[in-house]
Amino acid sequence: NVPKFLFGDGVKFLKEGMNVIVAFESEEPISAKLPSSVELEITYTEPAVAGNTSTNALKNATVETGAEIKVPLFINIGDKVRVDTASGSYSERVKS
């Protein structure tokens, strides 16, 4: 078992089966690192408003791990997005 606190703030993007780097001293884990970005599915967000074309506008969204992030208005429930694990920010929509 690796304590969650070793992942820092990025722990909210951790999901089962993800490859991570863990450093050990003897049998004790001393540090852990997530990948620089992860692909997560949007489980909840408000629907986009037709005609709203503002390029820099963002809305709240919840991803499959339960974390909340800000995404562009065109992102919908079920979309997969790439999230920067260091900053917790949206990077891009992932094409299927």
Side-chain angles (χ1 to χ4, degrees):
N1 289 337
V2 178
K4 287 184 178 183
F5 74 87
L6 291 178
F7 292 99
D9 291 338
V11 72
K12 60 189 170 192
F13 303 116
L14 186 63
K15 64 181 193 175
E16 192 172 327
M18 182 180 287
N19 290 328
V20 296
I21 297 171
V22 179
F24 289 89
E25 185 174 296
S26 298
E27 299 283 322
E28 192 71 25
I30 57 171
S31 71
K33 184 177 178 186
L34 290 168
S36 59
S37 66
V38 293
E39 291 180 12
L40 299 169
E41 184 175 336
I42 300 295
T43 57
Y44 178 78
T45 190
E46 295 295 324
V49 177
N52 192 340
T53 58
S54 177
T55 57
N56 292 333
L58 298 174
K59 62 182 180 176
N60 291 326
T62 304
V63 295
E64 63 187 280
T65 62
E68 286 197 11
I69 62 171
K70 297 278 190 183
V71 296
L73 297 175
F74 60 83
I75 299 294
N76 296 305
I77 293 173
D79 287 349
K80 288 207 172 200
V81 296
R82 188 174 319 278
V83 178
D84 181 308
T85 56
S87 65
S89 62
Y90 164 89
S91 296
E92 64 184 344
R93 181 166 47 180
V94 177
K95 306 271 191 228
S96 298

